[in-house]
């Protein structure tokens, strides 16, 4: 007997006999772990020649101990009974005889094969889906991210631990779901079958008939393809009947627990909507490893799982390095986003919806026109590609929405001929041999068409680079591209140098710097910025100029021996770009304010004007107007009409509107309308082309039901809602809603009172 401090210990020899051992199947490395009956760790020792020696407290004599046999762990002194059970450890409970010095244990083949571990390759990618102005959605990788891979306790193990009252709740809700199938939501985007982005409902399919089982009846179900396949895993009616019956007729808690475990695959589809079960999953997650993604947002690693058990149930979360710290960008519900029975080697797609995520944007592959070598390509305003002025009469239209058209307008979504406004970012691409001594700097300028002054964009443009010192987290300092003054030329911007700035003199030895593989910071893709609220506040069509300069600040003339301007002509589904050579209408030479300018020029229509929404007081043919209390009184004996009018205004007509009328809670489509503010008509309303709309309504149109004209009110209350929406965009496929306006008016239509 040994003694440590005041605690006395005794040695217990554990001898293990593995049954089922063959030359082809040998037991794995094994350790024995001892816990008291409350689950408190006591001791551990590895098996050597099928024997182990445990040092157990003398105070445990005569009491129950739990002996677990399983795989060795890295820190045995931190052994956790739940973790060992998850890894398939075999458990024996026995009362420790005070005189016992040896314990013999036989492990049957199914007991010890459970912790034989097999490798499982886990592959995946982290993406964000970005809506583009042309209405399509682009999948962009998320780099500078680490993914943590966790294993979730299997549903059977969670069922085994459920309190009795929740066990019966689970039974009741499962039987109700089978009897009257729930309209399950579509699975999260990262759990959808490969190639299926938006699952569509299939025609309703009935469940296999289940004759009355403990009062249960069947009902038809209408689920998505994925939901049906998950719910009816076995389509044979006899099998389904037998499995449901086993749950419905269980006669004891123990039997019910076992039967629910047997139908765990039927429970899985409902885990996401049975939120009362979620805490059991959130707290039973064992994180296996953390892996970094590459510049394409992809990751790959190997985890291990029991060879003779089910495939692992994996859950993923992700964090992104954003300047100075790791920020969580993907940590969805465990119950809704676990990949049950993950197929080793298959690709998992983690779709990030966090608006703070910073996607990577690798430069697109560019298909060049013939005989073009060194090139610069004005590419986008925001995410809207620049169409320019290609040759042809009339000028060809761009292939789809989401382009800056030749007139400087753009189409996006259902909006046509929209101007630009707000804070506008510009992007451009260039060949690998830029920068060089011959092409080192660029400058963006603008002027309103019809004016003579060319203004230069002078907002600061930077690029972040990575600085890594030994033992420290990386930092992301900035390198300023401009504005700079070179050779007397102001507001020049440097093309990003091929190599990042060298470490500072005070940096620790071994510090390295480099450019990120892709544009990590969202602003790093932009070459220039224009605050059009200030610099281009006068609405109208503008010329945007792009000029290039050599290392000494001399203007470079595009052409043979220097460089060529190219223009995007088509963006393919894989985001590669087909380009054309700039036309003579685009590559211009002009003397402005006594200075010669040579560069690429395209039009951009800018309009930052506010909309105005005004609803006029309703009246009866201009004679009776709604009073201060909102009552518009009519004479039941005459047939005078009710006039509704409103103004949906934009100074230049660059807006749309919707005007809706409700009687009580009933929407009146016959009294509502919408469209362009410049339209001559909108539903029942006549417009003057400048945003003024009016119509005279017969009283029954307002007082009678739109579905049943025979149901009429003698008096009724109405609500008028007018929304005027500016078309202006920053180039990202959505409106600048700050320019919108809204008005609302309520009135009541009622008969004249006797005293009036």
């Amino acid at each position: 007997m040994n003694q440590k401090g005041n605690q006395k210990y005794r040695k217990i020899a554990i001898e293990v006999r593995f049954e089922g051992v063959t030359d082809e199947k040998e037991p794995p490395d094994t350790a024995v772990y001892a816990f008291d009956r409350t689950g408190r760790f006591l001791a551990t020792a590895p098996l050597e020649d099928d024997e182990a020696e445990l040092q157990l407290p003398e105070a445990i004599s005569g009491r129950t101990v739990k002996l677990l046999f399983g795989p060795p762990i890295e820190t045995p002194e931190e052994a956790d009974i739940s973790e060992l059970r998850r890894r398939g450890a075999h458990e024996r409970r026995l009362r420790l005889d005070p005189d016992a010095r040896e314990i013999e244990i036989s492990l049957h083949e199914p007991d010890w094969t459970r912790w034989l571990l097999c490798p499982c390759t886990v592959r995946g990618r982290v993406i964000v889906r970005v809506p583009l102005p042309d209405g399509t959605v682009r999948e962009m990788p998320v780099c500078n991210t680490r993914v943590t891979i966790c294993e979730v306790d299997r549903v059977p193990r969670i069922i085994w631990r459920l309190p009795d009252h929740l066990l019966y709740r689970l039974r009741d809700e499962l039987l109700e779901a089978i009897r009257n199938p729930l309209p399950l939501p579509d699975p999260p985007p990262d759990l959808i079958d490969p190639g299926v982005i938006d699952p569509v409902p299939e025609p309703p399919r009935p469940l296999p008939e289940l004759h009355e089982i403990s009062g249960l009846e069947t009902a038809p179900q209408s689920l998505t393809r994925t939901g049906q396949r998950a719910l009816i895993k076995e389509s044979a009616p006899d099998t389904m009947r037998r499995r449901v019956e086993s749950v419905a007729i269980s006669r004891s808690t123990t039997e019910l627990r076992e039967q629910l475990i047997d139908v765990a695959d039927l429970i899985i589809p409902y885990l996401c909507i049975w939120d009362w079960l979620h805490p059991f999953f959130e707290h039973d997650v064992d994180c296996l490893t953390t892996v970094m993604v590459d510049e394409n947002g992809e990751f790959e690693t190997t985890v291990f799982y029991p060879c003779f058990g089910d495939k692992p149930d994996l859950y993923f979360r992700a964090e992104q390095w954003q300047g100075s710290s790791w920020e969580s960008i993907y940590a969805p519900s465990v119950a809704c986003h676990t990949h049950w029975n993950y197929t080793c080697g298959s690709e998992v797609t983690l779709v990030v919806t966090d608006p703070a995520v910073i996607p990577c944007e690798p430069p697109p592959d560019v298909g060049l026109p013939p005989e073009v070598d060194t090139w610069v390509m004005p590419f986008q305003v925001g995410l809207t590609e620049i169409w320019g002025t290609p040759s042809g009469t009339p000028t060809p239209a761009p292939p789809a929405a989401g382009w800056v058209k030749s007139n400087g307008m753009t189409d996006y979504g259902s909006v046509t001929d929209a101007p630009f406004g707000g804070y506008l970012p510009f992007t451009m691409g260039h060949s690998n041999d830029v920068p060089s001594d011959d092409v080192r700097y660029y400058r963006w300028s603008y002027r309103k068409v019809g004016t003579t002054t060319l203004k230069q964009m002078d907002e600061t443009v930077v690029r972040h680079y990575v600085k890594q010192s030994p033992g420290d987290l990386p930092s992301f300092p900035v390198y300023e591209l401009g504005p700079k003054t070179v050779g007397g030329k102001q507001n020049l911007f440097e093309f990003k140098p091929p190599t990042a700035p060298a470490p500072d003199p005070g940096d620790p030895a071994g510090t390295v710097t480099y450019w990120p593989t892709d544009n990590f910071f969202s602003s790093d893709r932009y070459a220039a910025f224009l605050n059009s609220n200030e610099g281009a506040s006068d609405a109208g069509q503008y010329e945007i100029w792009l000029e290039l300069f050599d290392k000494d600040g001399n203007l470079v003339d595009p052409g043979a021996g220097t460089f060529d301007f190219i223009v995007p002509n088509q963006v393919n589904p894989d985001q590669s770009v087909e380009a054309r050579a700039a036309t003579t209408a685009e590559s211009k030479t002009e003397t402005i304010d006594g200075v010669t300018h040579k560069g690429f020029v395209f039009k951009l229509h800018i309009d930052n004007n506010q909309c105005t929404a005004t609803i006029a007081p309703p009246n009866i043919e201009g004679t009776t107007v709604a009073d201060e209390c909102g009552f518009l009184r009519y004479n039941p004996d005459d047939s005078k009409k009710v006039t509704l009018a409103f103004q949906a205004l934009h100074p230049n007509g660059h807006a749309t509107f919707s005007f809706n009328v409700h009687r009580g809670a009933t929407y009146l489509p016959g009294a509502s309308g919408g469209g362009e503010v410049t339209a001559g008509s909108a539903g029942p309303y006549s417009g003057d082309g400048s945003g003024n709309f009016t119509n005279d309504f017969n009283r029954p149109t307002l007082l009678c039901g739109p579905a049943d004209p025979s149901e009429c009110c003698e008096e009724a209350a109405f609500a008028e809602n007018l929304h005027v929406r500016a078309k202006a965009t920053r180039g990202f496929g959505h409106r600048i809603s700050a320019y919108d306006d809204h008005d609302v008016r309520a009135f009541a239509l009622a008969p004249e009172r006797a005293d009036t």
Side-chain angles (χ1 to χ4, degrees):
M1 182 180 300
N2 297 329
Q3 182 169 334
K4 299 178 182 178
N6 295 325
Q7 180 77 21
K8 296 180 179 180
Y9 287 83
R10 54 187 282 197
K11 294 180 181 180
I12 300 291
I14 309 293
E15 184 176 343
V16 178
R17 185 166 65 89
F18 293 92
E19 297 184 357
V21 175
T22 65
D23 292 340
E24 292 77 23
K25 186 188 298 182
E26 295 183 356
D29 291 339
T30 303
V32 58
Y33 306 86
F35 299 84
D36 68 13
R37 62 185 182 85
T38 67
R40 181 172 64 93
F41 174 73
L42 299 175
T44 182
L47 283 184
E48 296 179 359
D49 296 328
D50 297 341
E51 292 185 359
E53 188 175 84
L54 293 177
Q55 294 269 4
L56 296 179
E58 182 65 29
I60 205 71
S61 296
R63 300 183 182 182
T64 299
V65 295
K66 300 176 182 179
L67 296 180
L68 275 73
F69 300 86
I73 59 178
E74 292 183 3
T75 53
E77 67 278 1
E78 298 177 5
D80 178 78
I81 194 168
S82 297
E83 167 64 8
L84 290 169
R85 287 168 176 166
R86 188 195 67 77
R87 295 195 183 191
H90 178 71
E91 182 174 342
R92 291 288 182 90
R93 300 186 183 204
L94 51 90
R95 190 179 68 85
L96 190 61
D97 192 308
D99 298 325
R101 293 294 181 267
E102 269 185 20
I103 297 176
E104 294 184 0
I105 298 289
S106 293
L107 295 182
H108 300 286
E109 183 177 347
D111 297 334
W112 59 266
T113 54
R114 286 185 300 176
W115 68 78
L116 284 170
L117 298 181
C118 286
C120 179
T121 300
V122 181
R123 295 189 177 94
R125 59 189 181 123
V126 186
I127 65 167
V128 60
R129 289 176 176 152
V130 179
L132 298 180
D134 63 0
T136 62
V137 176
R138 180 181 178 186
E139 289 189 352
M140 299 177 65
V142 179
C143 55
N144 297 282
T145 295
R146 63 186 185 187
V147 175
T148 300
I149 304 171
C150 307
E151 187 167 9
V152 179
D153 260 5
R154 293 198 55 74
V155 175
R157 185 174 294 279
I158 290 175
I159 294 174
W160 194 257
R161 296 203 308 274
L162 282 179
D164 289 353
H165 70 287
L166 292 182
L167 190 73
Y168 284 97
R169 179 178 180 178
L170 178 60
R171 179 201 64 181
D172 294 343
E173 296 206 15
L174 175 62
L175 295 178
E176 174 62 19
I178 297 297
R179 179 185 66 82
N180 186 22
L182 301 174
L184 290 176
D186 288 329
D190 52 352
L191 297 181
I192 295 173
D193 291 343
V196 180
I197 296 179
D198 295 307
V200 296
E202 291 186 342
R205 297 180 183 175
L207 279 169
E209 292 185 1
L210 305 175
H211 301 299
E212 284 197 5
I213 302 174
S214 300
L216 295 180
E217 296 178 355
T218 60
Q221 73 159 340
S222 177
L223 304 176
T224 63
R225 175 170 59 253
T226 306
Q228 287 176 335
R229 185 165 53 251
L231 181 62
I232 312 174
K233 196 170 183 179
E234 297 176 0
S235 59
D238 289 342
T239 304
M240 176 66 77
R241 184 184 304 113
R242 184 172 61 254
R243 299 186 74 195
V244 175
E245 183 178 13
S246 69
V247 175
I249 65 177
S250 297
R251 290 182 289 269
S252 69
T253 301
T254 301
E255 185 180 10
L256 174 59
R257 205 177 296 273
E258 293 173 349
Q259 297 295 350
L260 284 172
I261 289 173
D262 187 53
V263 295
D265 59 310
L266 296 181
I267 296 172
I268 287 176
Y270 299 101
L271 294 178
C272 189
I273 57 176
W274 290 341
D275 53 7
W276 57 273
L277 272 173
H278 290 188
F280 292 93
F281 290 92
E282 301 294 338
H283 299 293
D284 288 286
V285 173
D286 175 44
C287 292
L288 307 176
T289 186
T290 298
V291 60
M292 290 294 297
V293 305
D294 62 17
E295 62 268 19
N296 294 317
E298 298 176 346
F299 62 90
E300 179 176 330
T301 190
T302 299
V303 299
F304 293 87
Y305 70 99
C307 298
F308 293 88
D310 293 321
K311 293 295 179 63
D313 303 318
L314 298 184
Y315 168 78
F316 301 83
R317 55 174 174 248
E319 300 166 294
Q320 186 179 50
W321 181 261
Q322 295 183 354
S324 60
S325 62
W326 289 103
E327 301 294 337
S328 175
I329 58 171
Y330 182 86
S333 163
V334 175
C336 298
H337 289 77
T338 294
H339 296 253
W340 304 102
N341 278 324
Y342 170 73
T343 302
C344 297
S346 62
E347 184 177 75
V348 172
T349 301
L350 308 184
V351 183
V352 179
T353 58
D354 188 335
V357 68
I358 303 173
C360 300
E361 180 149 3
D365 295 329
V366 179
L368 299 175
E371 300 179 0
V372 169
D373 188 12
T374 302
W375 54 270
V376 172
M377 178 177 66
F379 188 38
Q380 292 174 324
V381 180
L383 290 174
T384 304
E385 283 84 15
I386 297 167
W387 180 247
T389 311
S391 58
T393 305
T395 300
W403 291 75
V404 181
K405 298 189 287 188
S406 298
N407 62 0
M409 302 280 198
T410 187
D411 302 338
Y412 60 90
S414 61
V415 178
T416 59
D417 291 327
F420 289 80
Y423 196 74
L424 298 171
F426 297 80
T427 62
M428 63 183 184
H430 55 81
S431 55
N432 286 332
D433 54 355
V434 174
S436 65
D437 288 350
D438 297 328
V439 180
R440 178 70 60 83
Y441 300 97
Y442 65 88
R443 182 170 66 194
W444 290 78
S445 307
Y446 62 100
R447 67 172 177 177
K448 188 176 182 183
V449 172
T451 64
T452 58
T453 301
L454 194 62
K455 300 178 181 179
Q456 298 162 0
M457 299 184 195
D458 57 4
E459 294 272 352
T460 300
V461 176
V462 302
R463 293 290 182 265
H464 291 79
Y465 62 96
V466 182
K467 178 185 287 189
Q468 179 70 67
S469 298
D472 288 340
L473 291 172
S475 61
F476 295 88
V478 298
Y479 177 77
E480 190 170 307
L481 301 183
K484 301 178 178 181
T485 299
V486 182
K489 305 293 195 317
Q490 295 181 330
N491 297 318
L492 301 191
F493 293 78
E494 186 179 358
F495 285 96
K496 188 180 81 172
T499 58
D504 297 325
D507 288 333
T511 298
V512 296
T513 59
Y514 56 91
W515 297 115
T517 303
D518 291 310
N519 297 321
F520 174 39
F521 290 83
S522 56
S523 61
D524 277 15
R525 61 188 302 269
Y526 301 121
F529 303 94
L530 170 60
N531 186 348
S532 67
N533 282 296
E534 298 178 359
S537 57
D538 189 12
Q541 193 180 70
Y542 283 76
E543 284 184 349
I544 308 297
W545 284 69
L546 172 60
E547 300 172 281
L548 303 188
F549 301 82
D550 65 17
K551 63 180 180 60
D552 298 317
N554 299 311
L555 184 64
V556 181
D557 192 1
T562 56
F563 75 97
D564 291 289
F565 281 119
I566 62 173
V567 191
N569 197 47
Q570 177 179 320
V571 178
N572 300 315
D574 63 357
Q575 299 305 309
S576 61
V577 176
E578 303 297 331
R580 61 174 175 83
T583 65
T584 54
E586 296 165 328
S587 189
K588 296 179 62 174
T589 299
E590 186 175 344
T591 300
I592 303 174
D593 292 337
V595 178
T596 299
H597 294 270
K598 301 177 181 179
F600 180 88
V601 182
F602 68 98
K603 300 289 197 312
L604 198 67
H605 199 112
I606 297 176
D607 194 335
N608 289 292
N609 281 294
Q610 295 279 151
C611 299
T612 303
T614 306
I615 301 175
N619 65 83
I620 296 179
E621 292 193 2
T623 58
T624 304
V625 181
D627 62 24
E628 292 182 357
C629 295
F631 280 90
L632 180 63
R633 300 190 180 276
Y634 66 90
N635 184 345
D637 296 329
D638 66 36
S639 59
K640 290 183 178 180
K641 297 182 178 181
V642 178
T643 301
L644 301 183
F646 58 90
Q647 291 181 318
L649 302 178
H650 185 278
N652 300 303
H654 296 144
T656 60
F657 76 93
S658 63
F659 180 71
N660 298 315
V661 179
H662 286 76
R663 186 189 68 235
T666 303
Y667 172 63
L668 300 180
S672 304
E676 300 277 341
V677 297
T678 56
S681 63
Y685 297 93
S686 298
D688 64 357
S690 298
N692 300 292
F693 294 87
T694 185
N695 189 54
D696 297 329
F697 291 94
N698 294 318
R699 288 199 305 271
T701 303
L702 301 177
L703 291 173
C704 299
D708 186 355
S710 65
E711 296 181 359
C712 295
C713 303
E714 183 180 5
E715 56 186 22
F718 299 85
E720 301 171 276
N721 278 279
L722 174 62
H723 293 267
V724 185
R725 301 175 177 87
K727 292 182 176 182
T729 178
R730 293 183 59 235
F732 292 96
H734 52 77
R735 301 177 305 103
I736 303 178
S737 58
Y739 299 163
D740 297 352
D741 197 18
H742 169 251
D743 195 18
V744 62
R745 178 179 286 273
F747 72 97
L749 193 58
E752 293 177 346
R753 298 183 305 191
D755 58 359
T756 59

